[in-house]
Amino acid sequence: MLYKQREKLEKVSTYQQAKTIEQIKQEYKQEKVLKLAGNENTMGVSPLVKEAIKSAENELFLYPDAKCQLLREALSNLYNVQENQLIFGNGSFELITLIGQTFIEEGDVSLIPSPSFGWYKNVTLTSGGTPLFIPLAHHKVALLDIKEAITPRTKVIWLCNPNNPTGTHFSHEELENFLNNIRKDIVVVLDEAYYEYAAGGDYPNSVDIIQKYSNVIILRTFSKVYGLASLRIGYGIGNQEMISMLDKVRIPVNINKLAQVAAYASLQDEEFKRNCLENNAEGLAFYEQQCREEGWEYIPSKTNFITMNVHYDAKKVVEELLKRGISIRPGVDFGMDDWIRITIGREAENQFVVRSIKEIIRKFKHNRSVEDASI
Ligand SMILES: *Cc1c(COP(=O)(O)O)cnc(C)c1O
């Protein structure tokens, strides 16, 4: 091969996505697959979203509004921020990419809690920077250790709150303490993909934070509670100077029409969102109760997933679940080999998952005792 990729890319591996439902159907000969591996909302979308998409079908030949004006106004009113404090992305994935391209230079270091969302690392590397991983403490983002790790080369700090894959959060007070004690030329990213599930209590009021600290940006998404993962739309909220820097590298028309109308419509349906949050709270409570009864370790979660350790080979449990048409995320994917991460579904789905895990463990125990007896 005569052409070469940029040297920095040699260290980068392609981002691994969870298997699709189609892939699992074929590979495991299943007719139906329950995908609980990507924290998508199995409640679907609001009926208003379906209507909005139908009514946009005659406009598909037109370029959409590059500014997402209607949606921009809606979010600006909702959060009481200026319209130019918002930026939209093809999912938070794109916004994370834009932050890397805008702020990270050759020789810069970005600090990443570990384990956390995988894309921060890719973006740091493809931008020419160096990721430095700071282990979680008790499954929580270790703000004090992150502060200690700062050097003059530190440029970006990625904070996932609540943290994926552990579901834990840090408080408003912890965040302010942290921000008050670090340099103001470090860009701090608050990835709040699970904001709607976590809001309230001591969870940060991060819109107040960005008004006070111009080096902080919030990322949120329509992929989780609003159920629009397939349409790809997320947004950032920050200081207007920071937003205008990011806008320089953004693809001009990056949000398609259907995503714009769907996101706008989903903001109008409070009831759907409330139902989803209620369903999720009940689902989490169900899993936690089952974990306590079965003696499975779990991490209390502020999100739409729960990460647990059932004290059996986690990879085998995941494999056995796939044979039953259930897809969840093995902890080995993010360096927590003994753990599994399960997206909360509807009541019947959650029951099916727990029943299946119990069956699988019973089978393991039985096989083990048969082996023991034959020795
Ligand atoms: C799901 C998730 C995202 C991805 O969001 P998109 O808007 O679908 O790109 C970003 N960050 C975290 C932590 C997530 O869990």
Side-chain angles (χ1 to χ4, degrees):
M1 219 184 295
L2 290 175
Y3 50 87
K4 274 203 174 125
Q5 60 187 349
R6 282 166 46 218
E7 200 182 315
K8 286 285 172 188
L9 293 188
E10 284 166 16
K11 277 188 279 180
V12 183
S13 39
T14 307
Y15 192 78
Q16 289 305 319
Q17 270 209 307
K19 284 191 172 120
T20 64
I21 290 179
E22 264 326 300
Q23 276 175 311
I24 297 167
K25 277 185 184 169
Q26 286 185 8
E27 213 171 300
Y28 292 87
K29 315 241 177 318
Q30 296 292 317
E31 273 176 25
K32 238 181 101 184
V33 169
L34 175 59
K35 182 165 180 257
L36 301 172
N39 304 336
E40 293 128 315
N41 185 354
T42 71
M43 304 274 280
V45 296
S46 153
L48 298 186
V49 166
K50 294 184 183 173
E51 275 172 38
I53 286 186
K54 264 224 141 318
S55 61
E57 69 186 10
N58 292 327
E59 284 180 56
L60 293 179
F61 68 100
L62 288 169
Y63 281 112
D65 174 6
K67 289 203 72 185
C68 305
Q69 189 55 34
L70 275 183
L71 185 59
R72 186 178 291 274
E73 285 168 15
L75 287 172
S76 147
N77 289 330
L78 182 61
Y79 295 126
N80 196 20
V81 295
Q82 300 295 315
E83 286 178 18
N84 58 11
Q85 291 186 275
L86 290 162
I87 182 169
F88 295 92
N90 196 259
S92 316
F93 269 98
E94 187 191 17
L95 295 165
I96 294 166
T97 310
L98 295 183
I99 291 168
Q101 292 175 338
T102 305
F103 297 111
I104 299 177
E105 285 193 278
E106 193 78 34
D108 284 344
V109 172
S110 89
L111 304 183
I112 307 178
S114 178
S116 191
F117 195 53
W119 193 236
Y120 312 141
K121 174 187 173 187
N122 285 56
V123 159
T124 300
L125 289 171
T126 55
S127 306
T130 306
L132 182 65
F133 297 98
I134 315 295
L136 304 184
H138 309 288
H139 306 302
K140 259 184 82 169
V141 170
L143 291 174
L144 296 177
D145 297 340
I146 293 175
K147 193 190 79 185
E148 293 302 314
I150 291 172
T151 70
R153 297 302 342 215
T154 306
K155 188 64 192 286
V156 172
I157 299 177
W158 307 95
L159 301 177
C160 189
N161 194 36
N163 188 49
N164 180 5
T166 52
T168 55
H169 78 291
F170 51 78
S171 70
H172 190 95
E173 196 184 337
E174 289 172 284
L175 176 59
E176 275 220 292
N177 255 331
F178 175 76
L179 294 170
N180 286 336
N181 287 290
I182 67 166
R183 294 197 326 267
K184 301 291 180 277
D185 61 340
I186 299 173
V187 174
V188 177
V189 182
L190 298 176
D191 183 345
E192 298 191 339
Y194 303 94
Y195 162 75
E196 293 82 4
Y197 297 101
D202 67 354
Y203 186 77
N205 184 336
S206 40
V207 173
D208 281 358
I209 295 276
I210 57 114
Q211 304 292 30
K212 200 163 150 195
Y213 301 86
S214 61
N215 58 323
V216 180
I217 181 165
I218 304 167
L219 304 182
R220 292 186 188 162
T221 179
F222 285 95
S223 297
K224 303 283 154 68
V225 75
Y226 295 110
L228 302 182
S230 80
L231 290 174
R232 314 304 305 124
I233 177 163
Y235 57 98
I237 319 172
N239 169 275
Q240 60 193 66
E241 274 80 38
M242 182 182 299
I243 296 294
S244 67
M245 292 174 189
L246 294 167
D247 249 333
K248 294 182 190 181
V249 285
R250 182 178 59 82
I251 297 171
V253 192
N254 59 334
I255 310 296
N256 71 73
K257 174 78 180 179
L258 299 183
Q260 293 190 29
V261 298
Y264 181 85
S266 69
L267 290 176
Q268 314 304 315
D269 196 343
E270 272 300 313
E271 193 191 337
F272 174 79
K273 182 172 136 188
R274 205 169 41 240
N275 285 343
C276 291
L277 294 179
E278 252 175 51
N279 174 75
N280 192 70
E282 286 164 15
L284 271 175
F286 169 72
Y287 273 108
E288 291 183 354
Q289 182 214 342
Q290 292 293 315
C291 284
R292 284 191 295 267
E293 281 177 18
E294 298 295 319
W296 302 334
E297 203 175 343
Y298 70 92
I299 308 170
S301 171
K302 279 271 186 188
T303 64
N304 68 341
F305 60 80
I306 186 158
T307 300
M308 59 171 89
N309 180 351
V310 297
H311 304 300
Y312 278 87
D313 188 331
K315 266 168 84 178
K316 278 192 193 153
V317 172
V318 170
E319 188 62 22
E320 287 297 318
L321 284 171
L322 280 167
K323 292 180 191 164
R324 290 162 169 79
I326 301 169
S327 157
I328 63 166
R329 197 74 191 265
V332 63
D333 286 3
F334 36 79
M336 292 172 73
D337 296 10
D338 298 334
W339 299 73
I340 51 179
R341 192 196 70 192
I342 308 174
T343 304
I344 308 300
R346 298 164 190 245
E347 188 180 1
E349 294 167 337
N350 303 333
Q351 286 171 349
F352 177 43
V353 172
V354 168
R355 202 163 59 235
S356 303
I357 296 176
K358 285 183 187 170
E359 253 173 50
I360 289 164
I361 289 177
R362 209 177 304 127
K363 202 174 100 183
F364 284 170
K365 276 188 182 162
H366 175 77
N367 289 350
R368 193 178 285 176
S369 61
V370 171
E371 277 168 27
D372 287 350
S374 68
I375 293 171

